[in-house]
Amino acid sequence: MQRFVFDPPERFVVGTVGQPGERAFYLQAAQSGQLVTIGLEKAEVTALAEGLSALLGQVGQQQGVPVPAAADIEVDLAPLQAPFEEDFHLGQLTVSWDGRRVFVEAAGLAQNQPGTPVSEEDLDSLRVGLSIPQTRAFIERARSIVAAGRPSCVLCGRPDGPDGHFCPRLN
């Protein structure tokens, strides 16, 4: 069991490895020469970006905290950092606000026998504390990474690949 805490991280980004349609998605956090890489699914990247966006919206409206517009943020466009090795695969993800910082907490999948209870202390985990601008930059990068996948079919909206796809609208 490994516990990583980066508050604040020097870098917290999402990125991919592979070609559209075959991409693997990863979260990376870096601080003081330490690098953590977490594998996750495209849908989890989308959910994290939307959850953080909703959290920023609530913080801005309910607490009057200024939230910068996407156009006012410098987004980290650099590729994932090497050497590349997954530290754990995502099992749980939470976002929270402590009144001044946004926290993203990721816990790994349980490595136990089915039916055996697992406590949170038994899971690999990462906790990052982000400023509002860091959070906005993460959201914008995550959205662009997700959007960079395969184009959608104009008929059904499903992802279309270089070899085509089965389109239910053509039946």
Side-chain angles (χ1 to χ4, degrees):
M1 187 251 351
Q2 305 172 83
R3 290 211 177 286
F4 304 98
V5 178
F6 297 158
D7 185 11
E10 292 166 7
R11 186 173 195 223
F12 182 60
V13 296
V14 65
T16 61
V17 174
Q19 298 300 314
E22 299 174 5
R23 297 183 299 169
F25 288 78
Y26 298 96
L27 283 176
Q28 268 193 346
Q31 179 183 355
S32 302
Q34 185 177 23
L35 177 68
V36 176
T37 302
I38 303 169
L40 73 167
E41 303 302 319
K42 180 179 181 179
E44 292 167 326
V45 173
T46 301
L48 177 56
E50 295 311 310
L52 288 170
S53 183
L55 181 65
L56 287 186
Q58 290 175 346
V59 165
Q61 288 178 351
Q62 296 174 0
Q63 298 182 15
V65 175
V67 177
D72 297 332
I73 293 296
E74 185 176 328
V75 178
D76 179 347
L77 299 176
L80 293 173
Q81 190 173 331
F84 197 79
E85 183 177 324
E86 184 177 301
D87 291 290
F88 62 90
H89 200 83
L90 184 68
Q92 302 172 20
L93 190 61
T94 59
V95 298
S96 61
W97 169 254
D98 75 349
R100 55 183 252 290
R101 301 183 65 67
V102 172
F103 287 92
V104 176
E105 297 184 59
L109 293 169
Q111 304 293 324
N112 67 331
Q113 299 296 326
T116 306
V118 175
S119 71
E120 287 190 20
E121 291 80 35
D122 296 332
L123 301 174
D124 291 331
S125 66
L126 168 69
R127 177 181 167 99
V128 294
L130 304 170
S131 66
I132 297 286
Q134 285 176 309
T135 304
R136 173 63 80 194
F138 178 89
I139 292 166
E140 296 311 312
R141 177 178 170 127
R143 287 177 173 164
S144 69
I145 292 286
V146 168
R150 295 179 288 172
S152 298
C153 172
V154 296
L155 298 176
C156 71
R158 291 183 177 175
D160 195 3
D163 299 328
H165 74 288
F166 174 76
C167 181
R169 292 289 192 104
L170 295 177
N171 284 339

